[in-house]
Amino acid sequence: MQTEAGSFPTSLHRSGRILRRAMRDIHDSAARLLWATLLGATTVTTAVAQETPGTGIQVTQLAYSATMDDDITSVKDSFVSALEGRNYTIVNILDVQRALENRGIEAEPIVLVEFINLSKAYLVTTSDKRFELFAPLRAAIFGEQDGVRLLILRPKFIGDTLGQEHLSDPARAVLKEFDRDLRDVAETVRNGGF
């Protein structure tokens, strides 16, 4: 495999260089992902969850959260009904536990729900196409020791992440409306409505 005294063929040398660069990029990406995860976890855990008296809804910058003494299917059905009652379209429902079970992986019960009011959301998209990274809107329903938790990503968080200065007045109004709607939906589900 040697061409001249002690030298490697050029293609092998290039392959080694490419491999080293790829490994460095993977390491850098892993480090960035770890830091982003830690930063995100710190942001979420340090955000003080405030509960509106009498509602049972915890509010953070990131999400609305409610815990119910019910089963996942009932919470999911109530959530979907409450969304549809406010003209949101259900885009997708993913039973993570079942999907992983089909791949031979044991998992805790988690259901992801994606939903949108398309005509209103399009007003946000026309203002800032980066909104499509967050659309459709999302919620997670998962079992915990003390019940079932409904966690809804806040449209206010989306607007803050995009930067209010990049959004038109109609887009900001839509995100505020979505944020109010989803808080109402969380309260409806928490109180056993729908």
Side-chain angles (χ1 to χ4, degrees), residues 14 50 91 102 134-135 172 182:
R14 260 189 250 135
Q50 298 176 1
V91 176
N102 291 338
F134 297 99
R172 284 193 293 273
L182 297 182

Side-chain angles (χ1 to χ4, degrees), residues 76-89:
K76 176 198 55 120
D77 291 345
S78 291
F79 181 62
V80 166
S81 293
L83 287 170
E84 290 174 339
R86 288 174 175 77
N87 296 317
Y88 287 86
T89 299

